[in-house]
């Protein structure tokens, strides 16, 4: 579940020699393929309905940015705009650490859940091999592909699941397999869309600990949509509170303790 997009929007004046403002260095101190995504005054309209208006934010490498807000706040619409799935106004710039447009953006995506026939005998090995090669898996998975799948699963600490039927996995195990797929090949931006909804606490903690390890090791930009404010508070570096637009952004402490947060989540006597 990795896709490629091209960034053709030129860097704005004054950014040509900018450097990564993130305090941590990029991998091996080399220029970042993707240092930051700059979203400026983005808007989305469907017919006469305004779904997003004047959305501006930055997403940085080496950070987990969490999108929060009540249902209908526009979080999923923003994801679709960033993925190029809906038309929008405003600009989205993908920039390297030198402030230049990134030639190509690899995006990994982990959905809330995967719909499939759980009675199917397809194994985790079959599933990943089918996603990573055009060769029909019913012809068998060769040694090279088995090694590639094992390497992908090892990144999310689930290599022991390779020969298990996909339908026999727990919710947490399945999401870690989907995470392994999203990381192959290595993405510049990893999008997690409510990735552990309905997963038990152990599975949830294991998933986010793995994500945290990957963030530090690979210095990738991670964008998370979540209603679990405990997860956001614990794992996010930056939080963006949305309500049709961005109404507050900053560190978890700044956003979760703000009047804007109180208004969104407690205005009706309970959390949204």
């Amino acid at each position: 579940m990795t896709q490629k997009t091209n960034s053709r929007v030129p860097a704005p004046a004054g950014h040509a020699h900018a450097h990564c403002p993130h305090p941590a260095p990029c991998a091996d101190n080399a220029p970042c393929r993707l240092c930051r995504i700059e979203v400026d005054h983005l808007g989305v309209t469907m017919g006469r309905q305004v779904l997003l208006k004047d959305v501006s934010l930055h997403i940085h490498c080496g950070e987990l940015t969490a999108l929060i807000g009540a249902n209908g706040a526009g979080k999923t619409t923003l994801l679709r705009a960033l993925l190029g799935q809906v038309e929008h106004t405003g600009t989205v710039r993908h920039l390297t650490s030198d402030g230049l447009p990134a030639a190509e953006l690899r995006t990994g995506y982990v959905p809330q859940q995967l719909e499939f026939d759980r009675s199917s005998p397809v194994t985790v090995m079959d599933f990943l091999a089918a996603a990573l090669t055009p060769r029909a898996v019913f012809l068998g998975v060769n040694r090279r592909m088995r090694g590639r799948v094992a390497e992908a699963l090892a990144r999310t600490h689930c290599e022991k699941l390779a020969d298990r039927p996909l339908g026999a996995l727990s919710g947490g195990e399945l999401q870690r397999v989907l995470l392994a797929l999203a990381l192959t090949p290595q993405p510049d931006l990893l999008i997690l869309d409510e990735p552990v909804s309905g997963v038990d606490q152990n599975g949830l903690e294991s998933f986010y600990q793995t994500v945290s390890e990957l963030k530090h090791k690979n210095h990738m930009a991670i964008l998370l949509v979540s209603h679990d404010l405990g997860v956001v508070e614990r794992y996010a570096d930056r939080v963006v509170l949305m309500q049709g637009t961005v109404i507050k952004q900053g560190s978890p402490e700044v956003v979760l303790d703000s009047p804007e947060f109180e208004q969104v989540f407690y205005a009706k006597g309970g959390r949204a």
Side-chain angles (χ1 to χ4, degrees):
M1 295 185 182
T2 304
Q3 69 175 46
K4 298 178 181 179
T5 57
N6 290 323
S7 176
R8 300 185 181 276
V9 180
H15 282 250
H17 301 290
H19 294 286
C20 179
H22 193 278
C26 295
D28 302 321
N29 291 313
C32 293
R33 281 173 44 91
L34 175 71
C35 176
R36 63 192 180 276
I37 299 174
E38 296 183 353
V39 180
D40 290 330
H41 307 294
L42 183 144
V44 175
T45 302
M46 294 290 184
R48 296 183 178 181
Q49 184 179 10
V50 177
L51 302 181
L52 290 176
K53 180 180 180 181
D54 199 26
V55 172
S56 295
L57 57 94
H58 287 189
I59 302 166
H60 285 282
C61 63
E63 289 187 348
L64 190 156
T65 300
L67 300 180
I68 64 172
N71 291 331
K75 304 182 294 296
T76 298
T77 300
L78 178 56
L79 290 188
R80 294 183 65 195
L82 293 177
L83 290 170
Q85 296 175 349
V86 295
E87 293 185 3
H88 62 81
T89 57
T91 58
V92 178
R93 291 183 287 268
H94 306 137
L95 303 177
T96 68
S97 55
D98 297 321
L100 301 175
E104 185 178 71
L105 176 69
R106 292 196 189 105
T107 303
Y109 178 77
V110 180
Q112 182 173 340
Q113 59 185 0
L114 178 68
E115 297 293 341
F116 66 100
D117 181 2
R118 286 191 169 270
S119 66
S120 169
V122 171
T123 66
V124 170
M125 177 64 68
D126 295 335
F127 173 69
L128 287 186
L132 297 176
T133 178
R135 186 174 186 270
V137 295
F138 67 79
L139 297 175
V141 180
N142 61 36
R143 181 179 298 179
R144 180 180 178 185
M145 180 52 63
R146 290 189 70 89
R148 187 179 177 192
V149 170
E151 182 179 341
L153 293 173
R155 298 187 71 187
T156 59
H157 309 299
C158 57
E159 58 269 37
K160 293 182 179 179
L161 302 177
D163 295 318
R164 291 266 303 278
L166 201 64
L169 302 182
S170 70
E173 289 171 338
L174 178 58
Q175 291 308 99
R176 285 167 65 186
V177 168
L178 294 179
L179 177 60
L181 179 57
L183 293 170
T184 308
Q186 171 79 30
D188 304 300
L189 171 66
L190 176 63
I191 294 180
L192 308 174
D193 188 3
E194 290 281 0
V196 288
S197 178
V199 174
D200 63 36
Q201 189 64 30
N202 289 337
L204 182 150
E205 290 295 336
S206 177
F207 182 90
Y208 282 112
Q209 286 172 7
T210 300
V211 167
S212 186
E213 291 173 12
L214 291 165
K215 180 189 71 173
H216 291 296
K217 181 178 180 180
N218 299 298
H219 207 72
M220 69 179 69
I222 302 174
L223 185 59
L224 166 70
V225 173
S226 180
H227 284 96
D228 189 330
L229 299 177
V231 164
V232 169
E233 186 173 20
R234 183 171 178 179
Y235 290 102
D237 300 291
R238 187 171 184 82
V239 179
V240 178
L241 176 62
M242 297 187 64
Q243 193 170 341
T245 188
V246 174
I247 59 175
K248 189 73 175 181
Q249 59 182 311
S251 68
E253 294 81 7
V254 166
V255 174
L256 300 183
D257 290 337
S258 69
E260 293 86 351
F261 175 84
E262 292 286 330
Q263 178 64 30
V264 169
F265 284 93
Y266 294 100
K268 296 180 181 181
R271 288 190 174 184

